[in-house]
Amino acid sequence: MDVHRGHEVLVDVAGAGVRRDGRWLVEAVDVTIRKGEIVTLIGPNGSGKSTTAKLVTGVLKPDAGSVSRKSGLRIGYVPQKLSIDWTMPLTVRRLMSLTGSYPKAEIDAALAATGVVHLANAEVQHLSGGEFQRALLARAMIRKPDLLVLDEPVQGVDFSGEVALYDLIGQIRDETGCGILLISHDLHVVMAATDTVICLNGHVCCRGTPESVARSPEYLSLFGARAANALAVYQHHHDHTHLPDGRVEEADGRIVDAHEHVHEHDHEGHRHA
Ligand SMILES: Nc1ncnc2c1ncn2[C@@H]1O[C@H](COP(=O)(O)OP(=O)(O)OP(=O)(O)O)[C@@H](O)[C@H]1O
């Protein structure tokens, strides 16, 4: 299903190539990202995911083909690595102001939107992997981007944290209508809300919905027989969400303290102490 087809095009990369030292790092790459669309780039190490993302953001210019961006396009970028001097104390609030100055209320609103406003005065060094990614997301969202580019948003995050982060990214798309480009360095995991997966291998190997890519002969021949069952697509089977501050959001939207939340497991419902 592509509900976003026909929506405004934010970035169009057409037949683009990048050449360095006499070799094509990527060649003949087509990527279109529309408003409200989630596009995920997957591919083996060195297959050109970061290079393609740099073409999208404009950090790199193509040596072949073309890249066009909606005029005035605002991009929020969450990098794979941050060059921060970790020996210096840095609060989350200060992290938010490193690349621009914003009123306190705006910073708090951005941190609240990603579920970490209670950590505004915490030191970045002490955050968990998931909390850090949420702080980085808030930092990208405060620019009110039309396009959010996330280079491996779930690194350093455990499985349940990954599900929660992917939920949050889907929610950001639903609420703001921005386009999202995700780079997944974990080949076999793609969030279910992804509209289009583009599988790279120096060129576009295959593309489509997560389900169609997992079944495509190109994907299978690139990653071998084991890949047949390996592309895990996050589904949303859970009926409640554990919020980062320890409270629980029920399916009907009620927010309750963890001790008030009843887990209904297959065997029996029980109340956590
Ligand atoms: N500035 C550069 N000059 C020469 N080669 C480069 C340059 N930047 C990247 N490369 C090479 O281009 C290829 C694609 O790199 P890229 O970082 O886009 O891959 P990737 O898919 O993001 O990889 P990974 O999953 O390992 O992060 C690699 O072989 C890399 O060594």
Side-chain angles (χ1 to χ4, degrees):
M1 181 181 61
D2 186 354
V3 291
H4 306 288
R5 203 152 287 288
H7 282 196
E8 182 184 16
V9 171
L10 301 176
V11 179
D12 192 32
V13 176
V18 175
R19 196 174 164 83
R20 293 286 181 279
D21 309 325
R23 110 181 147 97
W24 291 100
L25 308 186
V26 292
E27 211 175 353
V29 170
D30 296 321
V31 178
T32 305
I33 308 166
R34 295 178 177 80
K35 190 170 159 28
E37 185 182 25
I38 301 180
V39 175
T40 300
L41 300 178
I42 61 171
N45 290 135
S47 61
K49 301 178 295 289
S50 300
T51 304
T52 301
K54 286 176 188 162
L55 284 172
V56 167
T57 57
V59 168
L60 276 181
K61 302 271 170 281
D63 298 303
S66 65
V67 179
S68 57
R69 273 174 223 91
K70 187 189 101 157
S71 79
L73 183 78
R74 269 203 306 270
I75 297 179
Y77 178 58
V78 176
Q80 196 179 6
K81 292 191 193 74
L82 260 199
S83 42
I84 283 184
D85 178 356
W86 293 105
T87 59
M88 300 284 282
L90 177 71
T91 63
V92 170
R93 193 183 296 288
R94 178 89 184 94
L95 172 74
M96 296 291 287
S97 321
L98 286 182
T99 46
S101 114
Y102 301 97
K104 180 176 179 294
E106 248 178 74
I107 292 179
D108 286 352
L111 292 171
T114 62
V116 286
V117 69
H118 60 295
L119 296 170
N121 297 314
E123 291 204 8
V124 171
Q125 295 96 309
H126 298 152
L127 299 183
S128 73
E131 290 165 349
F132 182 56
Q133 290 299 326
R134 284 166 186 269
L136 291 182
L137 257 178
R139 181 170 173 261
M141 290 310 296
I142 202 168
R143 296 165 49 83
K144 300 195 170 38
D146 307 292
L147 174 66
L148 189 56
V149 178
L150 306 171
D151 196 340
E152 191 53 285
V154 294
Q155 57 183 305
V157 180
D158 65 17
F159 180 77
S160 69
E162 280 186 22
V163 175
L165 258 181
Y166 281 135
D167 278 353
L168 174 63
I169 292 165
Q171 202 182 318
I172 286 174
R173 185 273 303 270
D174 294 345
E175 283 169 11
T176 68
C178 66
I180 298 182
L181 177 67
L182 283 168
I183 303 172
S184 176
H185 292 270
D186 179 348
L187 264 184
H188 305 306
V189 176
V190 167
M191 66 181 283
T194 291
D195 298 291
T196 308
V197 178
I198 299 179
C199 180
L200 290 169
N201 188 23
H203 59 279
V204 175
C205 151
C206 53
R207 72 171 70 225
T209 61
E211 293 77 14
S212 70
V213 164
R215 283 194 307 265
S216 89
E218 294 85 354
Y219 176 82
L220 297 178
S221 78
L222 182 57
F223 298 118
R226 273 181 52 223
N229 300 311
L231 188 75
V233 178
Y234 275 119
Q235 301 293 355
H236 297 238
H237 289 318
H238 50 274
D239 61 356
H240 66 274
T241 306
H242 290 270
L243 300 174
D245 62 7
R247 293 175 306 159
V248 168
E249 184 177 354
E250 303 283 12
D252 61 7
R254 281 178 308 122
I255 308 251
V256 297
D257 284 336
H259 67 272
E260 293 173 61
H261 168 72
V262 179
H263 269 268
E264 295 289 343
H265 294 297
D266 288 337
H267 42 289
E268 59 182 18
H270 65 270
R271 190 171 281 269
H272 287 272

